[in-house]
Amino acid sequence: MGIITMIVIGLIAGAIARLLIPGRQHIGWLATIVVGIVGSYVGGTLGSLVFAPHVFSVHPPVHHLFLGSIVGAVIVLLIFNMFRARR
């Protein structure tokens, strides 16, 4: 059940990140899920570093706040777009 939850949260966070970034991203729904899942880990890690500097751990994205997942997904999507623009 955790994998399904991670996929759903990844899809929602990735879709919201795509809506927040101006312009059109030419990625499919599977890449949106990956951006959301990776963004959840990025947001959770950044949240651990900023809000609890003495506790550095990486947990599955379902344990992090949803806002952190969206912020992380935006960061990952911006980095993805930067690399894609260089091609």
Side-chain angles (χ1 to χ4, degrees), residues 11-31:
L11 178 63
I12 294 170
I16 291 173
R18 286 182 63 186
L19 290 173
L20 292 175
I21 301 296
R24 183 175 167 98
Q25 292 81 32
H26 298 283
I27 60 174
W29 62 271
L30 188 60

Side-chain angles (χ1 to χ4, degrees), residues 5-48:
T5 305
M6 188 170 40
I7 291 171
V8 170
I9 289 176
L11 178 63
I12 294 170
I16 291 173
R18 286 182 63 186
L19 290 173
L20 292 175
I21 301 296
R24 183 175 167 98
Q25 292 81 32
H26 298 283
I27 60 174
W29 62 271
L30 188 60
T32 302
I33 292 172
V34 171
V35 164
I37 291 172
V38 172
S40 294
Y41 281 107
V42 169
T45 302
L46 289 176
S48 294

